[in-house]
Amino acid sequence: MKVLSQNTAFGGMQGVFSHDSQACKTEMTFAVYIPPQAIKAPCPVVWYLSGLTCTHANVMEKGEYRRMAAELGLIIVCPDTSPRGNEVPDELTNWQMGKGAGFYLNATEAPWDENYQMYTYITEELPAFVSQHFRVDMDRQGIFGHSMGGHGAITIALKNPERFRSCSAFAPIVEPSTADWSIGAFEKYLGEDKATWRQYDACALVKDGARFPEFLIDQGKADNFLETGLRPWLFEEAIKGTDIGLTLRLHERYDHSYYFISSFMDDHLKWHAERLA
Amino acid sequence: MKVLSQNTAFGGMQGVFSHDSQACKTEMTFAVYIPPQAIKAPCPVVWYLSGLTCTHANVMEKGEYRRMAAELGLIIVCPDTSPRGNEVPDELTNWQMGKGAGFYLNATEAPWDENYQMYTYITEELPAFVSQHFRVDMDRQGIFGHSMGGHGAITIALKNPERFRSCSAFAPIVEPSTADWSIGAFEKYLGEDKATWRQYDACALVKDGARFPEFLIDQGKADNFLETGLRPWLFEEAIKGTDIGLTLRLHERYDHSYYFISSFMDDHLKWHAERLA
């Protein structure tokens, strides 16, 4: 593990690290916030998955999670959104594909399948690595994210209900199979057969029987992507008749930015802490 | 006034604006956070002055001031640290001079004197402009800042005690006339005669009789610039025997970054709110 930076913050430590990923066959960078409580005992961990174009750094710099994480004693891990490096395929002029747009899935189509194995990276490799290097209570894990990362958090929770005790999302893409800004990427990563897309689509997963106790979703009503990319009402519809709980909050005037995320960050961390206690 | 961006945050509004500055003879950008309380009545304003290399954006993105400003009902204005634009003189390879390094003074030496009139901009032009465009209670003003901006805040408070009711600083340069990273800039902006430097030097101002009721200063002990650039003990020494109050807090393990600033932002905003009530 390379230590890229370590800064004291709110009595704990915000670090940035990198390691050689087997899943993604490249060096991957991630951020970890260690609250002061972790000196005494292992702390629960909450995974934050970022949105399109982001790296580990966006939420680390703009998410304003450290104060409350320090108060609640939560470790926050912020992975990158895709493999990186010169050897990794990309579409330079397309922000919805390639670097910064891994969609938390395992690509099956060339040339993407070589490195774009973000599902395995996020659900297996990185947790194993983090638990080896930090004092994490792996029996108490939560997951959340923003936009593409909200999609990642909800689908990963639905597919791993035994691992995660809590899940929430800011403005998640709930049905990427039919959303303007993800169809193109799903075709390239997963091929034309839409049946294989369903394992990475929150609405389809629920319809196919996947279950998770409850979700918190915050969504801004002034979000430019609400109608074409996000559409939380599709998830509300999908869970009808199931025992999945949903707290869906729509907020007047809030947009898709980190100004929105940071405004409700405390609520999300409390949501997780209550379920990880 | 041009509106560059407006985002809802913590029930209020974070905006970025620009205007043509008479003092700096160029377009200047600044950020303003308007708390929700400002809808009902004018709110007190706290000016935040940033450090070397910064623009209005650094503290806006990383300072984590909005949550507490919304709670306390404070307007936060974050100006740029220098004039900008192609016509403005600069030293491209020197981060301690020119753009991003205005030192909140009025330059007297060519070619800097044409645009580098940051003291007049910050103390006269911008306040007049802000009070014209926002619901600000100009009888309740506080000022704070970081590093070079801490220098700016303390010197401006000392020179304008009738205007500001509160002042605080994160890791301020308290004696720029003798600090490694400011001597070069002071020579170029103000010329060789060090007598003229004293009006922009907190320690010298106090020795020359300037007074302000009290200051809060936070300083990280792991700050790389502590010994050569900041040296808060010089200010502690300078105020001895005066009626100036000083709360100087030294923090183990904290460095010079926004991880340090954000960790103590709440304390500073409360300090100001108590004195602006």
Side-chain angles (χ1 to χ4, degrees), chain B residues 122-155:
Chain B
I122 296 290
T123 59
E124 294 177 25
E125 186 177 17
L126 188 58
F129 190 82
V130 163
S131 70
Q132 196 184 327
H133 287 85
F134 301 93
R135 297 190 69 180
V136 181
D137 179 353
M138 296 297 277
D139 291 331
R140 293 188 288 165
Q141 293 187 60
I143 190 164
F144 69 148
H146 172 233
S147 195
M148 176 181 77
H151 141 74
I154 297 173
T155 54

Side-chain angles (χ1 to χ4, degrees), chain B residues 76-139:
Chain B
I76 311 290
V77 183
C78 309
D80 204 346
T81 55
S82 76
R84 305 277 174 181
N86 293 334
E87 307 301 310
V88 172
D90 193 16
E91 288 191 0
L92 282 177
T93 58
N94 183 359
W95 59 277
Q96 299 172 342
M97 184 67 203
K99 292 178 192 172
F103 277 97
Y104 306 102
L105 52 73
N106 285 343
T108 54
E109 303 300 295
W112 311 102
D113 57 340
E114 183 74 1
N115 305 97
Y116 287 80
Q117 300 294 318
M118 287 299 289
Y119 182 78
T120 297
Y121 176 71
I122 296 290
T123 59
E124 294 177 25
E125 186 177 17
L126 188 58
F129 190 82
V130 163
S131 70
Q132 196 184 327
H133 287 85
F134 301 93
R135 297 190 69 180
V136 181
D137 179 353
M138 296 297 277
D139 291 331

